[in-house]
Amino acid sequence: MRIDKCVCTDKTFEQLVAEARAFGLSLDDLGACYGVGEACGLCKPYLRRALVTGETAFCQILVDPDASKSDRHAG
């Protein structure tokens, strides 16, 4: 499985990292500007890593360390 975009906004991590670098945006700024991470939030751990490492495609499931255990199991 290839994970490479925020499905809620249909923006790729590559696009978002480019925007963040071009305009000095943080993960929170990307949320405020583009809405990423504001709906389901599943893209947050990927974007957090992408902003640090430059990776924009992932083959493993990442879990947001900021999400509480109950949030991860709610549904």
Side-chain angles (χ1 to χ4, degrees), residues 52-63:
V52 171
T53 67
E55 289 176 85
T56 58
F58 303 88
C59 295
Q60 70 276 15
I61 302 294
L62 299 180
V63 177

Side-chain angles (χ1 to χ4, degrees), residues 9-72:
T9 64
D10 202 35
K11 292 196 175 283
T12 66
F13 297 149
E14 185 175 6
Q15 291 171 309
L16 294 165
V17 168
E19 290 289 320
R21 290 189 174 156
F23 299 105
L25 303 175
S26 68
L27 180 57
D28 288 338
D29 295 333
L30 288 172
C33 292
Y34 302 105
V36 297
E38 301 297 311
C40 75
L42 293 175
C43 65
K44 280 187 169 183
Y46 299 98
L47 282 170
R48 187 174 285 113
R49 183 183 288 182
L51 292 171
V52 171
T53 67
E55 289 176 85
T56 58
F58 303 88
C59 295
Q60 70 276 15
I61 302 294
L62 299 180
V63 177
D64 192 341
D66 292 338
S68 72
K69 191 173 188 176
S70 62
D71 287 344
R72 282 188 235 142

